[in-house]
Amino acid sequence: MSPEPRAAFDDPELVERFADLVVGFGANLQPGQVMAIGSEIGKEDVTRALARSAYRHGARYVDVSYFDLHIKRARIEYAAEDTLDFVPPWLGERIVELGNMHAARIGLTGPAHPGLLAGLDPNRVGRDQLPAVRETGPVVNARTTNWTAVPCPTRPWAALVHPDVDPQEAWVTLCEQIVHVCRLDTDDPIAAWRERADTLVSAAARVTDRRFDALRFVGPGTDLTVGLLPTSKFLAARFETVDGIQHLPNLPSEEIFTAPDPARADGVVRATKPLVLGGSIIRGLEVEFREGRAVRIDAEEGAEVLRSYAARDETADRLGEAALVDGDGRIGALDTVFFDTLLDENAASHIALGHAYAMCVEDPADEARINQSSIHVDFMIGSPEVRVLGVGTDGAETPVLTDGAWQV
């Protein structure tokens, strides 16, 4: 018998290289900073590698917070209905204090226990939105922390993404894909990311310079117009803190994005990929907007979960982000549904219900108008068949993204 194929993330040297890329470039940890890592039970090996790398990079302290989805399931099954949206104050205070300390932060994405919440009452599932806390948005907007979110492969996730092969082959394939999309298969991953980031920053500047009044998405089942604010600007995922520390908030990142006018979204949009939300999978999603609000949320599976999120507060059913993804990125070319928002949103253009990023507007008057909701839920609406048009104040339409290629 031939030996069982070995996955990239079974190689300690590769895991350490991955950790160094995430810590030293993605989060760009500075000597003396506190490093916070948000992880999940099932991701211990990568978490420990990140901690080792953080201390090698001069971290003052590494604070790891593990979330256990099994405990969340127990809460949803058995807790009293009126307690499900209770969030202990110290969870929010932790992120606020990390901001006060100008800490570095890393979040690990990718489902470690896919399907664990299946079969539960979706209304109850939507009430408990942990591990997300509402304090994260204001800390991000304050730009006090240098942070990144990165995928962490697990064997259960591999089986979800590649169900038609044996578990070991699925594990090997998912690990290879993550190595590829993170550009760890290049001679110099940091140089490769700098080059890609430069390309995206240039595209963001070109779209911003057109000062469109709105974006229109047109494709199968989709005709949605999203209004923009007068000073909405597009950014690529290369941020800078108030202390001048550059970081990639998503690694990998293939998008440019902006803050839309939460009062202006009209039409129907059909998701082009499944959405994983709070441990639940939403498939076949279709949303109708009228005068900014999501007035209809339907899906083949899991609609009630998103409806519950959209009812969380006064503006949770309005948009807080519109993002464009071209066809030159590494994720979309894999033609794989990852069931992970970080990867799937960087494979296709997307919009988000909820909180907006204040750095995406240039005028304080517009900043006062952006969505301040406590949620932020991205879902993917782009594909090669979905055209993106820029709409001028006179109603004239200009192609922006066609067949995955920039037209501006």
Side-chain angles (χ1 to χ4, degrees), residues 36 38 46 60 139 162 238 241 273 283 292 295 311 313 319-320 368 374:
V46 170
R60 178 159 40 127
V139 169
H162 300 291
R238 183 169 65 191
T241 71
K273 292 179 181 291
R283 306 176 193 267
V295 296
D313 55 49
L319 292 179
S374 61

Side-chain angles (χ1 to χ4, degrees), residues 232-278:
S232 291
K233 65 177 179 180
F234 285 81
L235 299 177
R238 183 169 65 191
F239 288 3
E240 186 172 305
T241 71
V242 291
D243 301 312
I245 303 171
Q246 284 196 347
H247 57 107
L248 263 66
N250 291 347
L251 203 167
S253 177
E254 308 285 2
E255 65 176 321
I256 70 171
F257 59 96
T258 193
D261 183 343
R264 293 195 298 138
D266 291 278
V268 177
V269 64
R270 183 173 296 171
T272 51
K273 292 179 181 291
L275 166 64
V276 177
L277 185 58

Side-chain angles (χ1 to χ4, degrees), residues 56-57 106 154 177 186 199 215 266 363 365 371:
R56 287 197 300 269
H57 281 81
I106 294 172
T154 64
Q177 289 176 318
T186 62
T199 298
L215 295 176
D266 291 278
D363 188 285
N371 197 335

Side-chain angles (χ1 to χ4, degrees), residues 201-218:
V201 167
S202 175
R206 294 196 306 273
V207 178
T208 298
D209 287 345
R210 300 304 295 267
R211 289 299 176 192
F212 293 119
D213 180 63
L215 295 176
R216 185 181 174 204
F217 298 85
V218 182

